Each structure stands twice: as C-alpha cells, then as structure tokens.
Amino acid sequence: MAANFRSKLKLPAIAYPPPQDGVWSPVTSTLNWCEEDYYATKYAAEIVNTLTNLLFMYLAVKGIRNCLKNGHDKVFLVAFVGYLLVGSGSFAFHASLKYPMQLVDELSMIYTTCLMAFATFSYGRSKSFTVTLGFLLLALSLFITVYYHYVQDPTFHQTAYAVLTVIVVFRSIYVMEVNIRPKFRSKKRQAQNPHPISGQREDVRDKDILQTMWTMIACGLSIFLGGFAIWQLDNVYCSTLIRWRREIGLPWGIILEGHGWWHIMTGIGAYFYIVWGIWLRHCLNYRQDEYELIWPRFISMPLVVRKSRPHANEYQNGSSKKNM
C-alpha cells in the first residue's frame, strides 16, 4: 500500500539499508525504539531519533541567550540549561543506545521538571518555605534517580515525569488565574502593586495578557500531547511502520519515524511552557509594562523581551497619546 502511494506520486526513493552493528554496539539500554539500528551510519544507532534532538539544543541556546540578555529570573536560566541537558542526553542516548546515556536523557527530564516545580511553588513564599521546598524536591529527585536505577523500569520514569508535569502545569495555571485575572485578584495583591494605573485600563491590559497566555498554553499543550499520541502509535504499530518505511524508501520513510516527531513536538511544547513561565513571573512581579511577549505568528517561537521604553504603552499613556 505504501509503495503504491509513492509510485502514484512518482517520488524517487532509495531502498533502506539493512540494520547492522555500529561503533557503539552492543545495545545496553533498557529501551530500543522503533527506528532500526545503524541502518544509515555506523556512528548513530538511531539517526532520526538522534538528529531531531538538535531542535532541543537550538531552542535551549535561544532560551539561555534570551535569559541573559533580558534579565529573566535565574531559575529559568537554570531550567533552560536543564533543557539543553535533556536534548544533549537524548542525542547521546539515541546515538549509542547505552544505558548510562539513557539515564542522562531520562533523569534530566525529571530534574528540569523539578526546577520548574520549584519556580512555580516557591513564588511569593517565605524563605523558610522556599528552602524546605528546595530540599524536598532535591530529595524527590534523588529518590527517583536511585529507585529508577534499581528497578530499571521505563514505566516508572514515564509515570513520574507525567505526574510531575501535570502538577506543575495545573499549579502554574492556578497561580496565573488567581493573581492576574481581575475578578479573582485579591485586595491584598492590588494594594501591593508598585505601579498602579487606572483600574479599568489595568483590567483591560491583564485580560489581554491572559487571553494570549491561554492561547500559548493551548498551543503548547496541543503540540506536546500530539507528540505523545504519535509516539504511542509508533509503539503500538511498530512492525507495520517498519514495513511501510521499507516500502516507501528513503528519505520519505523518515516521516513515519514517530519517536522523532515526539522529540520535535515535545521540545516545542516544553519550550513554550518555560517561556510562559518567564512571562508569568514578570506579570506576578508587576512588570507587565517592562516586558512583552514577542510571538508574531503560531509557527514562530515566542520570546519574552524587555521593552525599549518601559511603562510606555497604550494602557498607561493612552490619554496622552490621544492628546498628541
């Protein structure tokens, strides 16, 4: 069927080489994905799964440079460093299929999520609470590390990562709504605003921010969950996909590498989450008028940057602009 489809489109193709041993053989990881081993080069066990991690690395460097340039909170700089470690670890893991590289890949996902949990749950809390939270998250990370190395069950890692991610995302949404949406904002928070403006203009500004944030959340989650769905199809229908890839040939068979799509889509989704966290933190710190989200279209990657002229926007200076 796949071959007939290609022939109807008259697409040129190269036959898939057979799987073989490579420079990193034998495989010692507890997981081996649907992409056949060393079919393209003896230097990378899974070439597509390896190279798709370059997007992680690019977005991580982009995020690190943005944090340094625009003075974002250091916890997000560390999160992007962790994000870079995830991409680098996954690159090394899929290139070699060695167990130590598998641990670097999978455990760095846990550590980065714990960093985002710290950023989310520590905001606005006392120093003693922040220190205690840091120790608890460190202890949790160590427990997951030791226990996962002991049981070597990928299901445990996937479950732990999923639970942590869900908790962090829903907590961030709660913090966003309670502190920014006008009808939920407490009088205490309103009184703490160091740059109060007309109540109506402030409400309009914050509603606009929330609308864009929700669009960003929906976009990031959809891409992330879409990547997860494709990965599951890759797991369930692996033998069928291998047959189809061989019928289609190279380079078109690469499109059917589901785990590669998981890398691309979850990488984008995770990047969206960190950038959202940065923007949310500035809004929580009453710096909405000093920073702005740059996201011109859905196919672009968002950035939070410092405005060239702080406090000069339509919400604060609308009347003076009209008078001019």
Side-chain angles (χ1 to χ4, degrees), residues 66-67 69-74 76 123 180 189 193-195 205-206 209 213 274-293 303-307:
N66 180 253
C67 287
K69 181 179 179 180
N70 292 280
H72 303 318
D73 286 4
K74 290 182 180 179
F76 297 108
Y123 176 78
I180 299 178
R189 174 162 176 82
N193 190 347
H195 309 295
R205 177 200 64 189
D206 289 348
I209 288 174
M213 280 188 175
I274 299 176
V275 173
W276 168 47
I278 291 171
W279 196 28
L280 176 59
R281 176 60 62 91
H282 286 310
C283 291
L284 294 176
N285 289 336
Y286 306 100
R287 304 182 75 179
Q288 296 98 319
D289 301 315
E290 298 178 42
Y291 288 87
E292 62 180 334
L293 176 73
L303 279 176
V304 177
V305 301
R306 191 188 299 271
K307 290 183 178 179

Side-chain angles (χ1 to χ4, degrees), residues 250-264:
L250 290 169
W252 316 109
I254 290 174
I255 298 173
L256 298 178
E257 294 288 358
H259 197 74
W261 284 109
W262 155 260
H263 287 163
I264 292 171

Side-chain angles (χ1 to χ4, degrees), residues 47-320:
I47 188 65
V48 175
N49 289 346
T50 299
L51 294 181
T52 47
N53 285 291
L54 293 176
L55 180 65
F56 266 92
M57 300 181 195
Y58 166 74
L59 293 177
V61 172
K62 183 183 181 75
I64 290 170
R65 292 180 62 184
N66 180 253
C67 287
L68 293 173
K69 181 179 179 180
N70 292 280
H72 303 318
D73 286 4
K74 290 182 180 179
V75 67
F76 297 108
L77 174 62
V78 177
F80 271 121
V81 171
Y83 180 86
L84 178 60
L85 183 60
V86 171
S88 303
S90 185
F91 184 99
F93 168 41
H94 288 287
S96 66
L97 291 180
K98 291 295 186 181
Y99 179 66
M101 294 300 100
Q102 179 183 352
L103 291 181
V104 174
D105 172 23
E106 295 179 330
L107 292 176
S108 58
M109 295 166 62
I110 298 293
Y111 303 154
T112 303
T113 308
C114 284
L115 277 171
M116 295 306 297
F118 178 81
T120 301
F121 283 92
S122 65
Y123 176 78
R125 307 304 293 264
S126 65
K127 184 176 181 179
S128 59
F129 178 90
T130 300
V131 171
T132 302
L133 176 65
F135 277 116
L136 289 175
L137 288 173
L138 178 61
L140 176 63
S141 299
L142 291 174
F143 167 75
I144 292 175
T145 299
V146 173
Y147 187 74
Y148 181 46
H149 180 59
Y150 173 73
V151 298
Q152 297 189 6
D153 181 3
T155 303
F156 168 73
H157 163 264
Q158 293 163 11
T159 302
Y161 175 68
V163 170
L164 281 170
T165 300
V166 169
I167 290 173
V168 172
V169 169
F170 276 95
R171 172 64 182 180
S172 298
I173 290 173
Y174 171 79
V175 170
M176 176 185 75
E177 284 288 328
V178 168
N179 289 280
I180 299 178
R181 190 168 297 280
K183 69 178 181 179
F184 295 146
R185 203 163 44 212
S186 67
K187 292 182 179 179
K188 180 180 179 181
R189 174 162 176 82
Q190 289 177 334
Q192 292 173 340
N193 190 347
H195 309 295
I197 59 177
S198 169
Q200 185 176 2
R201 289 204 299 272
E202 183 177 17
D203 290 352
V204 171
R205 177 200 64 189
D206 289 348
K207 286 180 180 178
D208 285 348
I209 288 174
L210 280 169
Q211 182 178 357
T212 307
M213 280 188 175
W214 272 111
T215 302
M216 193 175 181
I217 294 168
C219 189
L221 277 178
S222 297
I223 295 171
F224 188 96
L225 294 176
F228 179 78
I230 292 173
W231 174 32
Q232 294 309 304
L233 291 174
D234 195 58
N235 292 333
V236 175
Y237 299 104
C238 180
S239 59
T240 301
L241 290 170
I242 290 176
R243 187 179 74 251
W244 285 357
R245 289 198 294 261
R246 291 199 161 273
E247 290 177 358
I248 295 173
L250 290 169
W252 316 109
I254 290 174
I255 298 173
L256 298 178
E257 294 288 358
H259 197 74
W261 284 109
W262 155 260
H263 287 163
I264 292 171
M265 297 174 77
T266 55
I268 294 173
Y271 174 84
F272 267 64
Y273 175 73
I274 299 176
V275 173
W276 168 47
I278 291 171
W279 196 28
L280 176 59
R281 176 60 62 91
H282 286 310
C283 291
L284 294 176
N285 289 336
Y286 306 100
R287 304 182 75 179
Q288 296 98 319
D289 301 315
E290 298 178 42
Y291 288 87
E292 62 180 334
L293 176 73
I294 304 298
W295 188 27
R297 52 191 180 277
F298 288 120
I299 61 173
S300 62
M301 293 295 105
L303 279 176
V304 177
V305 301
R306 191 188 299 271
K307 290 183 178 179
S308 57
R309 294 176 59 193
H311 306 297
N313 63 45
E314 68 271 25
Y315 300 109
Q316 287 185 294
N317 296 328
S319 58
S320 61

